[in-house]
Amino acid sequence: MTPSDNVQPLDLSGDHDAVSAVLDALGTIILGKPDTLRLALTCILARGHLLIEDVPGMGKTTLAHALAKVLGLSFQRIQFTSDLLPADVVGVSMYDRENQQFNFHPGPLFQQLVLADEINRATPKTQSALLEAMEEQQVTVDGQTHPLPDPFFVIATQNPVEQVGTYPLPESQLDRFLMRLSVGYPSPDVERALLMGEDRQQMIRETAAVITPVRLTALQAAVDRVHVSEALVDYVQSLVQASRDDARLDGGLSPRAALGLIRAARAHAVVRGEQHVLPDDVQAVLPAVVDHRVLWRDLADRTTTSSTGRYLLEQVTVDP
């Protein structure tokens, strides 16, 4: 696949410098996870919401807080529990006796980056309170619509469903997350550096913002201008169709997921400082975009086989 010669070149040098500065700042806090940091930033540049799934204590909350601080975004952490109510998340209308009217009191959701911590410990009703916010960037309470800040992102953390006190996220909510990532255990050298180093939360408090929300919005606009060739779209469609036709897979990718894959690949190209989407960009983001949407049909495959995204990459070849 080769980029079209008729596409006007973009000057992404300044954007790439900003992205590199953000990744460098994040890398001083989250050690030994460059791929995770790159994909997390890719998700935000693509205007997507991020789901991080891992066992407790792996740095999921630290990653979310570090992203907000480095990107200059207002931040709020919501601890999801079994007794959390939808109004505790989105807010509530309260009657003002003096003015004889109902006034809306915004909930913690009204921040630029919201961490929904341990989202699968809340009941499905409370989980669903996020759906409209994630899809429409607004909430509706008592028939009144209230816009959320711009930019607006949700980073949700999820414990493995095998753990006690968790509720599986429904497919409709999983689909609202552009990517799902796992932080994973650190290497021995990285873990030693963490044990002997400064407290991560203290480092976040002392870290200055690298860019502003306005600059972040400009980077997102750059993503929209990255060129996608027809040959690249053919490759994406082949991957999508393979997910629908393969008998080993339970449910294929939807058109919304295909659009998200293109958008994530464009953002990954910006992270790399490129003006065209290449197959490498699609391959880099595909597992994070696909694995929470397409599952193995056989339970044995779910526990013993690699990710469905990597499986699709093995089934579909790239045309030269």
Side-chain angles (χ1 to χ4, degrees):
M1 295 183 184
T2 58
S4 171
D5 295 332
N6 297 323
V7 177
Q8 293 295 323
L10 299 174
D11 182 9
L12 296 179
S13 57
D15 294 336
H16 184 58
D17 291 343
V19 167
S20 297
V22 168
L23 290 175
D24 288 345
L26 290 171
T28 63
I29 301 171
I30 309 296
L31 302 180
K33 299 294 180 182
D35 293 341
T36 301
L37 296 179
R38 185 181 68 254
L39 287 174
L41 182 58
T42 295
C43 185
I44 288 180
L45 293 183
R47 299 186 180 90
H49 304 292
L50 177 63
L51 178 64
I52 307 176
E53 182 177 74
D54 225 322
V55 296
M58 302 298 288
K60 303 184 294 292
T61 302
T62 302
L63 172 57
H65 199 175
L67 279 166
K69 192 64 179 291
V70 171
L71 297 174
L73 302 173
S74 61
F75 175 76
Q76 181 65 56
R77 173 180 174 270
I78 307 173
Q79 178 62 55
F80 278 61
T81 57
S82 59
D83 59 351
L84 190 73
L85 299 175
D88 297 328
V89 176
V90 301
V92 63
S93 293
M94 300 182 65
Y95 186 70
D96 185 343
R97 292 183 177 180
E98 182 177 345
N99 296 317
Q100 296 186 345
Q101 64 181 16
F102 284 93
N103 294 327
F104 177 66
H105 294 258
L109 193 63
F110 284 77
Q111 301 293 333
Q112 292 170 322
L113 195 153
V114 174
L115 171 61
D117 213 0
E118 297 184 306
I119 187 174
N120 59 335
R121 290 198 180 278
T123 62
K125 182 176 182 179
T126 301
Q127 291 175 8
S128 66
L130 288 175
L131 287 179
E132 182 187 13
M134 295 171 67
E135 187 68 18
E136 305 292 342
Q137 201 169 328
Q138 64 183 27
V139 297
T140 302
V141 178
D142 295 333
Q144 297 294 317
T145 299
H146 307 277
L148 291 163
D150 186 24
F152 171 76
F153 306 101
V154 171
I155 296 181
T157 69
Q158 175 174 259
N159 295 325
V161 294
E162 297 83 8
Q163 293 192 351
V164 175
T166 60
Y167 299 83
L169 292 179
E171 289 80 359
S172 60
Q173 185 158 330
L174 283 173
D175 194 50
R176 262 61 175 190
F177 291 99
L178 177 60
M179 291 186 181
R180 185 185 69 180
L181 300 176
S182 175
V183 178
Y185 288 105
S187 67
D189 290 344
V190 169
E191 189 166 28
R192 186 174 183 84
L194 288 171
L195 293 173
M196 299 185 66
E198 187 179 348
D199 178 72
R200 299 295 112 178
Q201 291 301 319
Q202 181 63 30
M203 291 182 66
I204 291 173
R205 287 191 288 269
E206 295 173 353
T207 298
V210 174
I211 62 175
T212 65
V214 173
R215 186 74 178 93
L216 176 59
T217 302
L219 288 172
Q220 293 172 328
V223 169
D224 296 334
R225 299 194 301 271
V226 171
H227 176 64
V228 178
S229 68
E230 290 192 18
L232 195 285
V233 173
D234 290 340
Y235 179 48
V236 169
Q237 283 195 295
S238 296
L239 290 165
V240 170
Q241 194 60 47
S243 75
R244 299 168 182 171
D245 295 341
D246 198 300
R248 294 183 66 187
L249 301 179
D250 186 12
L253 292 170
S254 66
R256 175 163 55 189
L259 288 168
L261 179 58
I262 291 284
R263 194 167 69 251
R266 276 178 155 153
H268 193 267
V270 169
V271 170
R272 294 193 305 111
E274 298 293 336
Q275 59 183 330
H276 301 90
V277 177
L278 301 177
D280 289 349
D281 296 305
V282 175
Q283 293 162 4
V285 303
L286 186 74
V289 173
V290 168
D291 285 353
H292 61 296
R293 291 181 166 95
V294 179
L295 302 177
W296 297 104
R297 191 178 300 275
D298 193 320
L299 183 60
D301 282 333
R302 298 189 186 188
T303 57
T304 62
T305 313
S306 63
S307 77
T308 54
R310 292 189 180 92
Y311 172 75
L312 287 173
L313 292 175
E314 294 170 357
Q315 306 307 306
V316 179
T317 59
V318 181
D319 293 334

